[in-house]
Amino acid sequence: MVTSANRIRTIRTEEWKYNFYIDALGAYADQFELYDLVNDPDEMVNLAYEPAYQEKREQLAHQLKQLERDKLLVRAQ
């Protein structure tokens, strides 16, 4: 359960969904959600803090950062 973040970035594949929550003011720690959409399509079990899924979370976080760089970066003309 996410408490007080006010910004979210998400990446979704056919099998996984990863949410990265950010509090822009820095009052709250960053929070995460990771769902196995194959076995948990209703997103009931957040796997983001389970050690067995740390590698998957890091992989999706890396992909999300790459997408942010590619899609959100303002390029000077």
Side-chain angles (χ1 to χ4, degrees), residues 4-8 21-25:
S4 295
N6 57 16
R7 302 286 188 271
I8 182 174
Y21 294 88
I22 310 142
D23 176 36
L25 299 177

Side-chain angles (χ1 to χ4, degrees), residues 6-55:
N6 57 16
R7 302 286 188 271
I8 182 174
R9 296 280 192 258
T10 299
I11 186 169
R12 181 185 172 119
T13 69
E14 288 184 22
E15 298 175 348
W16 297 95
K17 181 177 178 184
Y18 171 73
N19 301 317
F20 173 49
Y21 294 88
I22 310 142
D23 176 36
L25 299 177
Y28 295 91
D30 295 341
Q31 298 175 57
F32 312 92
E33 291 178 315
L34 176 67
Y35 296 105
D36 177 350
L37 299 176
V38 173
N39 297 304
D40 181 20
D42 294 325
E43 302 176 16
M44 300 299 290
V45 180
N46 180 6
L47 302 171
Y49 299 97
E50 298 293 329
Y53 295 93
Q54 181 177 353
E55 185 175 334

